[in-house]
């Protein structure tokens, strides 16, 4: 039986006016055709009795599961999108990272605590790349009296998940011992000796090498 025929018969079927043979045909069709079943349901406001109750329940359950799965997929998509955006942002941060690093881009702390000189650099919203080396400081007689670490700040990389503070520590062995950190920024060169800032040279007017 075709859908339109069934639908023509459904009002009569609902009023129990159709013949036994028609009923069988209609019910056979309703079992296999969801559209007509829905049509019948909307018309009468009831689920056709010919449907086993479990089927209806299963159908509703299935629909619920589909909805849940859709929501889970959406959540996963959002998470992936956020991760991708974060990654992209980090990547952009790396690629637009500046080689022009100013003192003000970094929060500096230094000092001397229990004979240990310390230096901490906290780049504001990014991380730093250095080029550095340590040399020995000798007195006029050639005796080693300390170390000097030169840190040339090469790059400031910004990004959402890019953040790294870095620190150095050095024990001051004896009164004459010197521990020096020379920090070369694009605008200034700072010299920190035994936890104290001893010089701040303006280098912004000098040509960069
Ligand atoms: Zn149909």
């Amino acid at each position: 039986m075709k859908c339109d025929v069934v639908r023509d018969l459904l009002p009569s079927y609902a009023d129990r006016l159709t013949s036994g043979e028609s009923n069988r045909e209609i019910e056979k069709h309703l079992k296999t055709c969801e559209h007509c079943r829905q049509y019948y349901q909307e018309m009468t406001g009831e689920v056709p009795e010919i449907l086993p109750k479990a089927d209806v329940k299963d159908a509703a359950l299935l629909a619920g599961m589909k909805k849940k799965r859709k929501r889970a997929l959406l959540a996963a998509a959002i998470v992936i999108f956020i991760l991708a955006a974060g990654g992209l942002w980090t990547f952009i941060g790396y690629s637009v990272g500046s080689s022009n690093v100013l003192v003000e881009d970094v929060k500096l702390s230094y000092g001397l605590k229990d004979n240990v000189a310390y230096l901490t650099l906290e780049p504001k919203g990014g991380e730093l790349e250095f080029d550095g080396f340590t040399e020995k400081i000798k007195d006029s007689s050639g005796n080693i009296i300390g170390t000097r670490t030169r840190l040339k700040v090469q790059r400031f990389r910004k990004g959402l998940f890019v953040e790294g503070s870095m620190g150095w520590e050095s024990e001051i062995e004896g009164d004459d011992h010197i521990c020096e950190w020379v920090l070369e920024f694009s605008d200034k060169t700072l010299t920190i000796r035994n936890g104290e800032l001893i010089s701040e040279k303006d280098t912004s007017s000098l040509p960069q090498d």
Side-chain angles (χ1 to χ4, degrees):
M1 221 182 250
K2 280 190 175 170
C3 289
D4 50 347
V5 178
V6 170
R7 287 182 194 195
D8 282 344
L9 288 173
L10 278 177
S12 310
Y13 171 77
D15 293 335
R16 317 244 185 267
L17 299 173
T18 41
S19 69
E21 199 187 334
S22 297
N23 288 351
R24 273 192 295 282
E25 285 296 313
I26 292 165
E27 286 168 8
K28 206 171 96 188
H29 183 87
L30 286 181
K31 264 184 195 165
T32 55
C33 180
E34 206 196 311
H35 298 289
C36 288
R37 214 152 58 217
Q38 221 162 41
Y39 180 86
Y40 179 79
Q41 217 172 314
E42 277 160 20
M43 191 182 78
T44 60
E46 67 183 55
V47 179
E49 274 165 40
I50 43 105
L51 267 181
K53 288 262 173 350
D55 274 4
V56 179
K57 216 170 134 199
D58 283 353
L61 210 67
L62 204 67
M65 270 163 67
K66 268 185 189 163
K67 234 179 231 174
K68 265 187 201 157
R69 200 178 300 158
K70 253 187 198 168
R71 256 183 242 148
L73 277 175
L74 187 67
I78 289 172
V79 168
I80 288 168
F81 175 76
I82 289 171
L83 287 179
L88 185 67
W89 182 259
T90 305
F91 175 74
I92 291 170
Y94 275 102
S95 46
V96 300
S98 169
S99 58
N100 188 41
V101 190
L102 309 178
V103 175
E104 64 174 32
D105 291 330
V106 179
K107 189 175 164 239
L108 269 177
S109 37
Y110 47 81
L112 188 64
K113 200 179 169 188
D114 301 328
N115 263 14
V116 176
Y118 66 87
L119 167 67
T120 313
L121 300 180
E122 285 176 73
K124 293 170 187 167
E127 67 178 17
L128 294 176
E129 260 176 36
F130 293 95
D131 186 15
F133 64 92
T134 300
E135 58 193 14
K136 293 189 163 60
I137 304 173
K138 292 176 182 174
D139 65 10
S140 50
S141 326
N143 300 313
I144 295 164
I145 54 166
T147 55
R148 176 183 294 120
T149 303
R150 287 186 184 276
L151 296 164
K152 186 171 170 56
V153 187
Q154 296 283 56
R155 243 170 109 75
F156 184 32
R157 305 197 297 191
K158 287 185 185 179
L160 251 194
F161 303 112
V162 186
E163 199 150 347
S165 66
M166 38 203 359
W168 291 265
E169 277 188 355
S170 178
E171 200 181 337
I172 312 298
E173 308 145 8
D175 291 342
D176 304 329
H177 187 86
I178 293 170
C179 165
E180 226 174 70
W181 286 295
V182 180
L183 278 169
E184 295 180 34
F185 290 92
S186 294
D187 56 341
K188 280 172 185 170
T189 295
L190 310 179
T191 305
I192 295 156
R193 181 183 289 178
N194 294 4
E196 254 181 88
L197 182 68
I198 58 162
S199 103
E200 188 172 334
K201 250 189 276 178
D202 194 331
T203 54
S204 54
S205 54
L206 299 177
Q208 300 287 314
D209 49 43

